[in-house]
Each structure stands twice: as C-alpha cells, then as structure tokens.
Amino acid sequence: MTSTSSIETTFRPGDLGTLAVIAWSGEHADGQGDMPFLLAYSLGDSPAGPEGSQAAVRALLRNNGLTVGTAVHDGSRHPSFPVSLLVEAGQAVVSMPWLNAQCAVPPEWLAAAEARGTAYFLFTARPWSGAAPGRPVGEEELQSFAGAEETLTAAAHCLLPVRRLR
C-alpha cells in the first residue's frame, strides 16, 4: 500500500487561490463546426503558493471523481455527473461540489453552444498567473496556455450538456 501526502488527499477551498473561467469557441477535431470551450484555472495565488493551488485543484477534481489527463468525461451519459453547466443571459455557470464559477460568454460561443447542445469544459491544475479576471486575454496568449501540453495533461476534460432555466 502506498501513502500520499495530506495535501494530495485533503481539499481545502482556500488553497485554490483565485479561480477564473474563460470562454472561447473554435474548430474541434470532430469536424462538426465550432465547439464552445470553457477553461477553469487558478491564478496560483493561494496562501500555499502555486504548488498548493495545483494540489488543491487536483484534490477537488479527484474528490468529484474526475481524472486528470486526456480522457474526456461525458456528462450527458451520467445523470449524477458532478459538474453541470447553466447558460443564461450571456453567462455560463459551471457548478460542482465546492465550486460555482461564472463567466460572460461571447455571442459566437452562445451560437456554438446552441448548435451543439454541449460545451467542452477543461479544469486545469496548472496555474495561469498572467490571466487575471477582468483582464483581456489575447488569442495568441490563450492559445499558448490552453493548447500547451502541460495545461491539457494537468486538466480534467468534460463534455457538458448545456442547460437553461425553464
């Protein structure tokens, strides 16, 4: 039996630091038009530092049954999936136990979400200190971070059904 350190098994919300979510849409490998993407990340500014933020994100994901790596969790196939997405009034709200995050989404993101009925959500444990909430992120900067192997392999990947208020 192997043991793990307590920071790897214990989730403390304060260790996440500042969390942010960013939205964009673009081509997807399935060739079926634009995919709406959401990326959640920490700025790495927790009292425990970037390493503490990274460990807290990993613990949050693990405690919700999400794996980090390249496997895609399909939330539409599991009625009790721990992550949900609500889209309303130009906002995307991602919810999971211990976390609710909201971000404004551009019109092209809304159009892609409407057409597909799903969005691709990534929650990476890799901190991104340069992308603070409220500060615009350029396309190259987004592509550099979101498309980096270090970001993708440190993330939980989820396909989430788009839900709306009735």
Side-chain angles (χ1 to χ4, degrees):
M1 179 175 197
T2 60
S3 66
T4 58
S5 70
S6 63
I7 196 161
E8 292 176 354
T9 58
T10 303
F11 171 68
R12 292 185 306 261
D15 286 342
L16 289 170
T18 304
L19 289 178
V21 178
I22 192 166
W24 76 96
S25 61
E27 285 293 319
H28 189 260
D30 66 7
Q32 297 181 12
D34 282 354
M35 172 70 81
F37 292 94
L38 292 168
L39 172 66
Y41 57 92
S42 171
L43 297 184
D45 59 352
S46 80
E51 294 81 15
S53 293
Q54 190 171 17
V57 170
R58 286 182 181 275
L60 173 65
L61 296 173
R62 187 175 37 256
N63 288 349
N64 282 291
L66 302 174
T67 57
V68 169
T70 57
V72 179
H73 301 274
D74 188 346
S76 65
R77 295 181 184 223
H78 305 283
S80 61
F81 195 68
V83 185
S84 65
L85 171 63
L86 174 68
V87 177
E88 196 65 36
Q91 300 284 314
V93 180
V94 177
S95 298
M96 61 193 306
W98 297 99
L99 178 70
N100 288 310
Q102 176 177 325
C103 75
V105 293
E108 59 272 10
W109 189 97
L110 290 169
E114 182 71 28
R116 284 188 174 261
T118 58
Y120 198 108
F121 173 65
L122 297 106
F123 194 159
T124 188
R126 181 181 181 210
W128 191 12
S129 60
R135 186 181 75 73
V137 173
E139 190 174 330
E140 280 186 27
E141 187 180 9
L142 173 63
Q143 194 171 47
S144 176
F145 182 80
E149 184 176 344
E150 300 88 5
T151 301
L152 296 172
T153 58
H157 299 250
C158 305
L159 193 58
L160 300 177
V162 174
R163 293 189 168 87
R164 299 192 176 277
L165 295 176
R166 295 179 188 221

